Amino acid sequence: MIDPVKSKADLDLSYLKEMSGDSAEFMIEMLDTLVEQIPMYLDDLQKAVDAKDWKAASEFAHKVKPTFYYVGREDMRDYMQVIERNAKEGIDLERIPAALTEIKAELNVILGQVTKARTELEAQL
């Protein structure tokens, strides 16, 4: 399940800071990429789930998973891991659509958090 505490907290950008050498410019680029890619990946995942194409669903879940780690949302990464594993192994498939709906709702929260973090980073430039 998605952690309601993390939903209300600011993103943890410590991994991105470390990876970028604390470059605000690089971190902004990464956040922009996240904003572009995650919705596309989740749309692809939704199409695969709707089509009951579990192999593709597993692959799309795998693809989007690390992106959440970059912004300190291990809860979302772990949730995607469950979807990936269940789709791959063919277990609890009936729970995947509801889990995906929850993830998509939480994505709106994350995108708001990204916007706030990006604004703070731009102030450092």
Side-chain angles (χ1 to χ4, degrees), residues 30-71:
M30 291 296 292
L31 292 174
D32 288 346
T33 299
L34 179 146
V35 168
E36 285 176 28
Q37 289 183 345
I38 287 183
M40 290 188 313
Y41 289 156
L42 290 182
D43 284 346
D44 289 340
L45 177 56
Q46 183 70 61
K47 288 174 188 161
V49 168
D50 291 346
K52 296 186 182 343
D53 182 347
W54 302 118
K55 181 181 185 314
S58 175
E59 290 168 0
F60 288 125
H62 178 78
K63 194 182 287 189
V64 75
K65 190 175 53 177
T67 314
F68 292 118
Y69 182 74
Y70 299 152
V71 293

Side-chain angles (χ1 to χ4, degrees), residues 50-112:
D50 291 346
K52 296 186 182 343
D53 182 347
W54 302 118
K55 181 181 185 314
S58 175
E59 290 168 0
F60 288 125
H62 178 78
K63 194 182 287 189
V64 75
K65 190 175 53 177
T67 314
F68 292 118
Y69 182 74
Y70 299 152
V71 293
R73 289 301 305 264
E74 292 87 358
D75 60 326
M76 292 286 286
R77 181 202 58 200
D78 294 347
Y79 210 26
M80 290 302 295
Q81 173 78 37
V82 170
I83 291 175
E84 176 189 1
R85 185 183 61 237
N86 288 4
K88 187 175 190 174
E89 296 175 8
I91 55 174
D92 289 333
L93 298 176
E94 69 282 352
R95 299 170 87 190
I96 291 176
L100 184 53
T101 298
E102 193 175 346
I103 286 169
K104 288 170 98 174
E106 185 66 11
L107 179 61
N108 292 327
V109 172
I110 291 171
L111 293 178

